[in-house]
Amino acid sequence: MTIPKILCTKSKSAATVTQIQIFQLQYPGITFNLCTLGLNFKIPIRREILLLFGCIDCSKESMEYALNSKNQGRALVLVVGGAAESLDAHPGKHELTLMSRKGFVREALLTGAHLVPVYSFGENDVFEQAANPPGSTLRKWQEKLRKSMGTALPMVKGRGFLQYTYGFLPFRRSINTVIGAPITVEKTENPTNEQIEKLHEKYVEKLVELFEGHKQRFGVSKNVKLVLK
């Protein structure tokens, strides 16, 4: 059986590296690569650790190189919301930076990679983040840093080694990841804006369905909706 190329678009990212190891056991024959900022590969030791886990640069050139490989069974895991989304990661909230993010759809069309929506419940609960509503002094500073360096700096608090009041270790919380059905994508050499918009709308629809279909199973109230920005 020929295994197709896949672009897994993951919402939330705290446990992604660990989960990739689990994915590879559950889906034998597929090689998973997590896409991350190129800045991460400029930091010694951190770079080697990321490469050890199969991480690659999230630039379009790097993604296209991987997805255009002659080897079948390649799956890239991309956190679409990136740094901007991390600033909205507060316990109990489900907010995604997605509506303006369409580059991943274009890459899927260019390479013919199927889109697979993925959502993790509970990742926002492993750390507490300082209040940073839009317009606040802290948020303005964080946004300035994000736009200048491509990375954000959420002010988070976790637990310590021997106490649970303060520290930088994550709280003991369950993280449950659900994987949706693949969205078939036909390879298109020069995708039009209309084609990109249509596929993006379909992806959003399937992601919302995935969230709604599993939220109560993982302790999210029936009245809570997925907020897309």
Side-chain angles (χ1 to χ4, degrees):
M1 180 178 70
T2 301
I3 302 175
K5 294 172 290 185
I6 301 170
L7 179 55
C8 298
T9 47
K10 190 174 187 296
S11 302
K12 309 302 178 191
S13 62
T16 302
V17 172
T18 302
Q19 289 167 340
I20 284 180
Q21 311 306 309
I22 299 173
F23 289 168
Q24 289 179 330
L25 294 175
Q26 294 179 331
Y27 300 95
I30 298 180
T31 300
F32 288 87
N33 297 104
L34 171 63
C35 302
T36 185
L37 288 173
L39 178 65
N40 288 320
F41 295 101
K42 297 180 180 180
I43 305 173
I45 300 178
R46 182 184 181 91
R47 173 184 59 232
E48 280 66 37
I49 293 174
L50 291 174
L51 291 172
L52 178 65
F53 282 102
C55 297
I56 66 172
D57 189 349
C58 66
S59 66
K60 66 178 183 178
E61 293 82 7
S62 180
M63 292 174 61
E64 287 176 9
Y65 178 83
L67 291 173
N68 284 325
S69 169
K70 294 181 180 180
N71 297 325
Q72 293 292 320
R74 196 72 178 269
L76 303 189
V77 181
L78 177 67
V79 182
V80 178
E85 188 173 286
S86 69
L87 298 179
D88 292 317
H90 293 273
K93 288 191 175 183
H94 300 271
E95 298 183 9
L96 304 181
T97 301
L98 176 61
M99 300 312 291
S100 62
R101 303 294 175 96
K102 299 174 183 177
F104 72 97
V105 174
R106 183 174 183 275
E107 293 306 312
L109 286 165
L110 284 171
T111 60
H114 297 342
L115 282 175
V116 180
V118 180
Y119 192 88
S120 287
F121 291 91
E123 285 197 355
N124 284 355
D125 300 324
V126 297
F127 286 103
E128 294 177 358
Q129 183 175 180
N132 60 341
S136 65
T137 301
L138 176 58
R139 187 60 169 257
K140 289 179 181 177
W141 177 78
Q142 290 173 322
E143 290 290 356
K144 186 176 181 180
L145 178 66
R146 182 180 68 84
K147 291 177 181 178
S148 62
M149 298 185 61
T151 184
L153 187 61
M155 305 300 288
V156 299
K157 184 189 78 169
R159 63 180 178 87
F161 283 101
L162 302 176
Q163 47 77 33
Y164 291 85
T165 304
Y166 184 85
F168 295 100
L169 293 176
F171 292 114
R172 298 178 187 275
R173 302 284 188 272
S174 295
I175 297 177
N176 298 282
T177 299
V178 290
I179 304 174
I183 301 171
T184 303
V185 178
E186 292 293 333
K187 187 173 183 178
T188 306
E189 191 169 333
N190 294 298
T192 64
N193 289 334
E194 183 179 356
Q195 289 173 314
I196 293 173
E197 287 287 344
K198 185 177 180 180
L199 183 55
H200 186 268
E201 289 176 4
K202 187 173 183 180
Y203 169 79
V204 170
E205 177 188 343
K206 294 301 181 182
L207 179 62
V208 172
E209 286 181 5
L210 187 67
F211 177 83
E212 290 292 331
H214 293 275
K215 65 181 183 181
Q216 292 186 70
R217 176 184 171 196
F218 298 116
V220 179
S221 172
K222 179 175 65 174
N223 298 323
V224 173
K225 300 296 182 183
L226 188 62
V227 178
L228 304 178
K229 304 167 81 173

